[in-house]
Amino acid sequence: MSKPVVLIAEVLSPATIDALGPDFEVRQVDGTDREALFAELSDADAVLVRSATKIDEEALSHAPKLKVVARAGVGLDNVDIQAATKAGVMVVNAPTSNIISAAELTCGHILSLARHVPAAHASLAAGQWKRSAYTGTELFEKTLGVIGLGRIGALVAARMQGFGMKIVAYDPYVTSARAQQLGVELRTLDELVAEADFLTIHMPKTPETTGMIGAEQLKAMKKTAYVVNVARGGLIDEAALREALLAGEIAGAGLDVFTSEPPADDNLTSLPNVVVTPHLGASTDEAQEKAGVSVARSVKLALEGDLVPDAVNVAGGIIDPFVRPGIALVEKLGQIFSGLTTSALTSLDIEVRGELAEYDVSVYRLAALKGILSNIVSENVSYVNAPLFAEQRGIEARLIVEKESPEYRNLTTLRGALADGTVLSVAGPSRVPGWFRRSWASMVTTSRCRSANTTSS
């Protein structure tokens, strides 16, 4: 049999190919050459990209066999997740690959602003010796305001505490207990911007967070304060930032990201009190290798038909080893269920009873829908698009979990209502005691009832 084709559309670390192993046919293409990309996608099972290759609806239309798009990095601006989901294509990224690199770059910007390192370097490189012109400020006992106390924000806080800084943070989703654990004091956003000597933002870009640091927040800051953004362009209103810098409302800014990349003009990059870098947050050898290896492992899982913890369009999450063996069982139960249906399915209950109730079994809902719809829908059904197909057909699917299981250690039952009034159920035990351990297929039971008449087989 031919090996699955994995297409690498951008330059990735050699460790990425090593992580894929010998079970795949690895091809390479320049993803920015659309015609070449489309040609190679025609028989590709997976495609690995960074930020330059655009995987949109048009690209997906040229990829009938594609099962997974892997972004070797964090952002997914260049991948149409909605179109991929509709096509049944899993989208994965490497959400933790660059967190250390991004945190360290943030700290570098803070230090560069405090000590005017870029400007002093440029002056000396030009043959000037102006020590007094670049008098800086110590970080010791200054206040760092962190907006967004997630993985990167927490790393920045920990590192800057080593400089003796006081750390305050704004994050509506962080509890006071968690903040105390990190040695951080929580503030409202208004309190934070007024108190901070240095302010760094680490939030995802959403309609709610876009422009969250604008003219009002900048005016409320100290005139000696600095702002840093190594997260996403647009979190800080660039026009308002330029005005604040020119008016002396704040002392300076450190920017690694911009609304338009590269920036459409030099309105910010040319200002003397701004330190800029060209989106280098993930640009370290270590981060690139971590990202490549991470998505390579995800591609292997996806092409083996498994769920992937880093899949952004699959509601499966991390699957416990105790739960994993039941996935194939539930999918096969779904196939049996659909083979027994006599009319359209209107609602479905996935009942899980027994020891499995102690675990997250949400993946069983996906497996059941995939098994049922694979025999009904003409399109390719995957864990990705099965819920979408169910919704389109008006099928309401509920997951019911109960600890009590009188007959078996674990019992999974699919019970569905059909349009003709029939209620059909298919059940199968898993992880039964050793003295009763047989193939699950020999223990599947089905029942069908209509009104008061019930038959079993």
Side-chain angles (χ1 to χ4, degrees), residues 238-275:
E238 291 182 356
L241 177 60
R242 173 178 166 81
E243 292 303 316
L245 290 165
L246 291 174
E249 292 173 352
I250 61 173
L255 305 173
D256 184 54
V257 290
F258 304 86
T259 303
S260 174
E261 294 186 351
D265 52 50
D266 64 352
N267 286 342
L268 281 172
T269 58
S270 62
L271 295 181
N273 52 348
V274 176
V275 175

Coordinates of all heavy atoms in Angstrom, one line a residue, residues 238-275:
E238 N -3.0 51.6 17.2 CA -1.8 52.2 16.8 C -1.8 53.7 16.5 O -0.9 54.4 16.8 CB -1.3 51.4 15.5 CG -0.9 50.0 15.7 CD -0.4 49.3 14.5 OE1 -0.5 49.9 13.4 OE2 0.0 48.1 14.6
A239 N -3.0 54.1 16.1 CA -3.1 55.6 15.9 C -3.1 56.3 17.2 O -2.4 57.4 17.4 CB -4.4 55.9 15.1
A240 N -3.8 55.8 18.2 CA -3.8 56.4 19.5 C -2.4 56.3 20.2 O -2.0 57.2 20.9 CB -4.8 55.7 20.4
L241 N -1.7 55.2 19.9 CA -0.4 55.0 20.5 C 0.6 56.1 19.9 O 1.4 56.7 20.6 CB 0.2 53.6 20.2 CG 1.6 53.3 20.6 CD1 1.7 53.5 22.2 CD2 2.0 51.9 20.2
R242 N 0.5 56.3 18.6 CA 1.4 57.3 18.0 C 1.1 58.7 18.6 O 2.0 59.4 18.9 CB 1.1 57.3 16.5 CG 1.9 58.5 15.8 CD 1.7 58.4 14.2 NE 2.1 59.6 13.6 CZ 3.3 60.0 13.3 NH1 4.3 59.1 13.6 NH2 3.6 61.1 12.7
E243 N -0.2 59.0 18.7 CA -0.5 60.3 19.3 C 0.0 60.5 20.7 O 0.5 61.5 21.1 CB -2.0 60.5 19.2 CG -2.6 60.7 17.8 CD -2.0 61.8 17.1 OE1 -1.8 62.9 17.7 OE2 -1.6 61.7 15.9
A244 N -0.1 59.4 21.5 CA 0.3 59.4 22.9 C 1.8 59.6 23.0 O 2.4 60.3 23.8 CB -0.1 58.2 23.6
L245 N 2.6 58.9 22.1 CA 4.0 59.0 22.1 C 4.5 60.4 21.6 O 5.4 61.0 22.2 CB 4.6 58.0 21.1 CG 4.5 56.5 21.6 CD1 4.7 55.6 20.4 CD2 5.5 56.3 22.7
L246 N 3.8 61.0 20.6 CA 4.2 62.3 20.2 C 3.8 63.4 21.2 O 4.6 64.4 21.3 CB 3.5 62.6 18.8 CG 3.9 61.8 17.6 CD1 3.1 62.1 16.4 CD2 5.4 62.1 17.3
A247 N 2.7 63.2 21.9 CA 2.3 64.2 22.9 C 3.0 64.0 24.2 O 2.8 64.8 25.1 CB 0.8 64.0 23.1
G248 N 3.8 63.0 24.4 CA 4.5 62.8 25.6 C 3.7 62.2 26.7 O 4.0 62.3 27.9
E249 N 2.5 61.6 26.4 CA 1.6 61.0 27.4 C 2.2 59.8 28.0 O 1.9 59.4 29.1 CB 0.3 60.8 26.7 CG -0.5 62.0 26.4 CD -1.8 61.7 25.6 OE1 -2.0 60.6 25.2 OE2 -2.5 62.7 25.4
I250 N 3.1 59.1 27.2 CA 3.8 57.9 27.8 C 5.3 58.1 27.3 O 5.5 58.9 26.3 CB 3.3 56.6 27.3 CG1 3.3 56.4 25.8 CG2 1.9 56.4 27.9 CD1 2.9 55.0 25.4
A251 N 6.2 57.4 27.9 CA 7.6 57.5 27.5 C 8.1 56.8 26.3 O 9.0 57.2 25.6 CB 8.5 57.1 28.7
G252 N 7.4 55.6 26.0 CA 7.9 54.8 24.9 C 7.1 53.6 24.7 O 6.2 53.3 25.5
A253 N 7.5 52.8 23.7 CA 6.8 51.6 23.4 C 7.7 50.6 22.8 O 8.7 50.9 22.1 CB 5.6 51.8 22.5
G254 N 7.5 49.3 23.1 CA 8.2 48.2 22.4 C 7.2 47.3 21.7 O 6.2 46.8 22.3
L255 N 7.4 47.2 20.4 CA 6.4 46.5 19.5 C 7.1 45.4 18.7 O 8.1 45.7 18.0 CB 5.7 47.5 18.6 CG 5.0 48.7 19.3 CD1 4.5 49.6 18.2 CD2 3.9 48.2 20.1
D256 N 6.5 44.2 18.8 CA 7.0 43.1 17.9 C 5.9 42.8 16.9 O 6.2 42.1 15.9 CB 7.3 41.9 18.8 CG 7.8 40.7 17.9 OD1 8.8 40.9 17.2 OD2 7.3 39.6 18.0
V257 N 4.7 43.2 17.1 CA 3.6 42.9 16.2 C 2.8 44.2 15.8 O 2.8 45.2 16.5 CB 2.6 41.9 16.9 CG1 3.2 40.5 17.0 CG2 2.2 42.4 18.3
F258 N 2.2 44.1 14.6 CA 1.5 45.3 14.1 C 0.2 44.9 13.4 O 0.0 43.7 13.0 CB 2.4 45.9 13.0 CG 3.8 46.3 13.6 CD1 4.8 45.4 13.6 CD2 4.0 47.6 14.1 CE1 6.1 45.7 14.1 CE2 5.3 47.9 14.7 CZ 6.3 46.9 14.7
T259 N -0.7 45.8 13.3 CA -2.0 45.6 12.6 C -1.8 45.0 11.2 O -2.5 44.1 10.8 CB -2.8 46.9 12.6 OG1 -3.0 47.3 14.0 CG2 -4.2 46.6 12.0
S260 N -0.9 45.7 10.5 CA -0.5 45.2 9.2 C 1.0 44.8 9.2 O 1.8 45.5 9.7 CB -0.7 46.3 8.1 OG -0.2 45.9 6.9
E261 N 1.2 43.6 8.7 CA 2.6 43.1 8.7 C 3.1 42.7 7.3 O 2.4 41.8 6.7 CB 2.8 41.9 9.7 CG 2.5 42.3 11.1 CD 2.8 41.2 12.2 OE1 3.0 40.1 11.7 OE2 2.8 41.5 13.4
P262 N 4.2 43.3 6.8 CA 4.9 44.4 7.5 C 4.1 45.7 7.6 O 3.1 45.8 6.9 CB 6.1 44.6 6.5 CG 5.6 44.1 5.2 CD 4.7 43.0 5.5
P263 N 4.5 46.6 8.5 CA 3.7 47.8 8.7 C 3.5 48.6 7.4 O 4.4 48.6 6.5 CB 4.5 48.6 9.7 CG 5.3 47.6 10.4 CD 5.6 46.5 9.4
A264 N 2.3 49.1 7.2 CA 2.0 49.8 5.9 C 2.8 51.1 5.8 O 2.9 51.7 4.7 CB 0.5 50.1 5.9
D265 N 3.2 51.7 6.9 CA 4.0 53.0 6.9 C 4.9 53.0 8.1 O 5.0 52.0 8.9 CB 3.0 54.2 7.0 CG 2.0 54.1 8.1 OD1 2.4 53.8 9.3 OD2 0.8 54.2 7.9
D266 N 5.7 54.1 8.3 CA 6.6 54.2 9.3 C 6.2 55.1 10.5 O 7.0 55.7 11.2 CB 8.0 54.6 8.8 CG 7.9 56.0 8.2 OD1 6.8 56.6 8.1 OD2 9.0 56.6 7.9
N267 N 4.8 55.3 10.6 CA 4.3 56.2 11.6 C 4.8 55.8 13.0 O 5.0 56.7 13.9 CB 2.8 56.2 11.6 CG 2.2 56.9 10.4 OD1 3.0 57.7 9.7 ND2 1.0 56.7 10.0
L268 N 4.9 54.5 13.3 CA 5.4 54.1 14.6 C 6.9 53.7 14.5 O 7.6 54.0 15.5 CB 4.6 52.9 15.1 CG 3.2 53.2 15.7 CD1 2.4 52.0 15.9 CD2 3.3 54.0 17.0
T269 N 7.3 53.0 13.5 CA 8.6 52.4 13.5 C 9.7 53.5 13.4 O 10.9 53.2 13.7 CB 8.8 51.5 12.3 OG1 8.5 52.2 11.0 CG2 7.8 50.3 12.4
S270 N 9.4 54.7 13.0 CA 10.4 55.8 12.8 C 10.5 56.6 14.1 O 11.4 57.5 14.2 CB 10.0 56.7 11.6 OG 8.8 57.3 11.8
L271 N 9.6 56.4 15.1 CA 9.7 57.3 16.2 C 10.9 56.9 17.1 O 11.2 55.7 17.3 CB 8.4 57.1 17.1 CG 7.1 57.6 16.4 CD1 5.9 57.4 17.3 CD2 7.2 59.1 16.0
P272 N 11.6 57.9 17.7 CA 12.8 57.6 18.4 C 12.6 56.9 19.7 O 13.5 56.3 20.3 CB 13.4 59.0 18.6 CG 12.2 59.9 18.6 CD 11.3 59.3 17.5
N273 N 11.4 57.0 20.3 CA 11.1 56.3 21.6 C 10.3 55.0 21.4 O 9.6 54.6 22.3 CB 10.3 57.3 22.5 CG 9.1 57.9 21.9 OD1 8.9 57.8 20.7 ND2 8.3 58.6 22.7
V274 N 10.5 54.4 20.3 CA 9.8 53.1 20.0 C 10.9 52.1 19.6 O 11.7 52.4 18.8 CB 8.8 53.2 18.9 CG1 8.2 51.8 18.6 CG2 7.6 54.2 19.3
V275 N 10.9 50.9 20.3 CA 11.7 49.8 20.0 C 10.9 48.8 19.2 O 9.8 48.4 19.7 CB 12.3 49.2 21.2 CG1 13.1 47.9 20.9 CG2 13.2 50.1 22.0

